[in-house]
């Protein structure tokens, strides 16, 4: 192997060099080497530090050209390539070259990524984001006992000493993509459950939730309770507030416990349904309730404040409320939220 690396370093032909890089990794794969051996051989071949990280476990492997583990902290990567398995990104490989990237670096990393995926698949289970929905449901069900829940979480790849956060999502994007974005370097699993997607993760970076995705984030450490909280928070999301933490709802969460029949029979909620018949009026009221002031609402709607004032006056007549009065505004906010929950 070392002899082949030495010969490769003397190649003048880029085409011949690329072919020999492919042969080099074919030899490694036939020998069924593990991930550290792959990284070590790659560092020797590239004559610089080579690194590998698996997203599902957070495992990082780095080797220097002399065959020893590379010292920390790592240098900036000069070239990177994703590791994909079953069309899902499960990790990354990279080179830490001090100078400009070598002409064969992309070929080397491409073959390293393919070899790493083969090793993960061979010695798996593969650390993919998507999980068996039945196993996820067992982990979050309130009917599961603690032993069954702990076993389900262990089978999903979560360590016993790590907290598990639950996120309920409605997404136009694939769940595995959302899960990887939410928790890029720690264990994360996703599965569809009825009409809602569920993501289990050890950490959640809400700033990484992509546009168009609505997400409710549970607060409790127990997965079953966190799931109920996440599902409740999801119900309160809107286009203007697409991501909500259950803990941030406070007393508003109590509205989710109001029986649907009682909510529909309420006069303010019934009037809100009439307002919702006009999308423009509904947007105006939603913006005004969120902004808390006429001028701020006008700025958000890109309208003159007098136009917004006229709309709000008409909406107030429909609701039989004075929206400039604090009590009237509070009733409108509660009625709007209750109506949104009914139409979730």
């Amino acid at each position: 192997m070392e002899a082949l690396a030495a010969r490769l370093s003397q190649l003048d032909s880029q085409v011949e060099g690329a072919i020999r890089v492919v042969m080099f990794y074919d030899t490694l794969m036939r020998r069924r080497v593990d991930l550290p051996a792959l990284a070590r051989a790659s560092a020797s071949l590239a004559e610089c530090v080579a690194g590998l990280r698996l997203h599902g476990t957070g495992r990082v492997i780095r080797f220097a050209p002399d065959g020893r583990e590379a010292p920390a902290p790592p240098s900036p990567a000069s070239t990177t390539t994703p590791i994909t398995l079953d069309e899902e990104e499960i990790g990354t490989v990279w080179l830490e070259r001090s100078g400009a990237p070598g002409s064969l670096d992309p070929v080397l990393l491409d073959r390293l990524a393919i070899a790493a995926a083969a090793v993960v698949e061979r010695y798996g289970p593969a650390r993919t984001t998507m999980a068996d929905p039945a196993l996820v449901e067992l982990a979050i069900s309130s009917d599961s006992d603690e032993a069954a829940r702990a076993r389900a979480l262990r089978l999903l790849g979560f360590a016993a000493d790590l907290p598990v956060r639950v996120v309920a999502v409605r997404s136009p994007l694939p769940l595995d993509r959302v899960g990887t974005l939410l928790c890029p370097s720690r264990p994360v699993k996703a599965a569809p459950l009825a009409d809602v997607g569920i993501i289990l993760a050890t950490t959640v970076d809400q700033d990484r939730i992509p546009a168009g995705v609505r997400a409710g984030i549970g607060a409790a450490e127990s997965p079953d309770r966190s799931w109920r909280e996440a599902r409740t928070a999801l119900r309160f999301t809107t286009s203007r507030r697409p991501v909500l933490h259950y803990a941030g709802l406070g007393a508003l969460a109590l509205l989710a416990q109001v029986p649907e029949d009682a909510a529909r029979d309420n006069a303010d909620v019934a009037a809100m349904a009439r307002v919702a018949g006009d999308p423009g009026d509904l947007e105006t009221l939603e913006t005004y309730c969120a902004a808390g002031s006429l001028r701020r609402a006008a700025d958000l709607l890109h309208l003159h404040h007098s136009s917004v004032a006229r709309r709000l006056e008409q909406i107030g007549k429909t609701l039989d409320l004075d929206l400039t009065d604090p009590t009237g505004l509070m009733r409108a906010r509660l009625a709007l939220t209750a109506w949104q929950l009914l139409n979730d």
Side-chain angles (χ1 to χ4, degrees):
M1 191 181 301
E2 288 75 15
L4 179 57
R7 288 168 59 193
L8 286 172
S9 67
Q10 299 172 2
L11 289 175
D12 295 326
S13 168
Q14 184 172 346
V15 174
E16 185 178 1
I19 293 174
R20 295 199 177 215
V21 168
V22 172
M23 293 173 58
F24 178 79
Y25 282 99
D26 284 348
T27 300
L28 292 177
M29 293 171 72
R30 283 196 300 272
R31 294 180 180 179
R32 294 180 177 269
V33 298
D34 58 11
L35 293 177
L38 271 179
R40 185 185 295 109
S42 299
S44 176
L45 178 61
E47 298 181 341
C48 69
V49 172
L52 181 155
R53 181 180 66 243
L54 296 180
H55 297 331
T57 61
R59 183 184 183 188
V60 176
I61 303 170
R62 296 172 59 248
F63 275 92
D66 61 5
R68 300 178 181 179
E69 291 190 13
S75 302
S78 56
T79 316
T80 64
T81 296
I83 304 171
T84 58
L85 182 61
D86 296 332
E87 299 183 355
E88 179 186 348
E89 183 177 326
I90 64 169
T92 308
V93 293
W94 67 89
L95 297 177
E96 298 174 21
R97 197 180 294 284
S98 57
S103 60
L104 292 177
D105 286 359
V107 178
L108 186 154
L109 284 180
D110 182 64
R111 300 308 297 182
L112 173 56
I114 292 173
V119 171
V120 171
E121 185 174 32
R122 182 182 302 126
Y123 298 110
R127 296 293 181 173
T128 56
T129 300
M130 294 305 293
D132 180 354
L135 202 57
V136 171
E137 189 168 6
L138 183 62
I140 63 171
S141 174
S142 58
D143 295 330
S144 299
D145 58 42
E146 289 305 316
R149 179 174 294 109
R151 182 176 182 274
L153 290 172
R154 185 171 64 252
L155 291 174
L156 288 168
F158 294 99
D161 58 342
L162 289 178
V164 177
R165 303 291 300 278
V166 182
V167 184
V169 300
R170 285 199 176 93
S171 170
L173 303 176
L175 276 179
D176 58 341
R177 175 64 176 162
V178 179
T180 301
L181 288 171
L182 276 177
C183 188
S185 59
R186 302 287 296 278
V188 58
K189 293 293 181 182
L193 193 60
D195 63 336
V196 177
I198 177 170
I199 296 174
L200 305 179
T202 49
T203 61
V204 174
D205 185 352
Q206 75 169 72
D207 293 333
R208 295 177 61 90
I209 296 176
V213 175
R214 293 193 184 189
I217 304 173
E221 292 186 3
S222 174
D224 59 324
R225 183 177 174 187
S226 186
W227 163 239
R228 292 196 299 271
E229 294 177 348
R231 189 172 50 187
T232 296
L234 178 64
R235 295 183 62 196
F236 283 85
T237 60
T238 66
S239 58
R240 293 187 177 275
R241 297 184 302 167
V243 181
L244 287 175
H245 284 263
Y246 179 83
L249 292 176
L252 282 176
L254 295 173
L255 287 177
Q257 301 178 30
V258 175
E260 290 189 3
D261 289 344
R264 286 193 179 91
D265 289 342
N266 181 269
D268 286 352
V269 177
M272 189 61 64
R274 294 193 292 273
V275 172
D278 186 322
D281 285 350
L282 182 62
E283 182 185 19
T284 299
L285 182 60
E286 285 180 333
T287 304
Y288 178 64
C289 287
S293 76
L294 179 62
R295 291 191 177 275
R296 176 59 179 159
D299 289 341
L300 292 173
L301 291 167
H302 305 292
L303 295 172
H304 193 274
H305 68 274
S306 60
S307 297
V308 176
R310 285 194 297 271
R311 287 190 183 184
L312 289 174
E313 182 179 2
Q314 183 59 44
I315 293 169
K317 290 179 180 178
T318 302
L319 294 174
D320 194 22
L321 293 173
D322 181 0
L323 296 177
T324 63
D325 177 72
T327 300
L329 180 58
M330 180 184 66
R331 284 175 57 184
R333 284 172 170 165
L334 290 174
L336 177 61
T337 302
W339 178 84
Q340 289 169 336
L341 290 175
L342 286 173
N343 291 274
D344 172 58

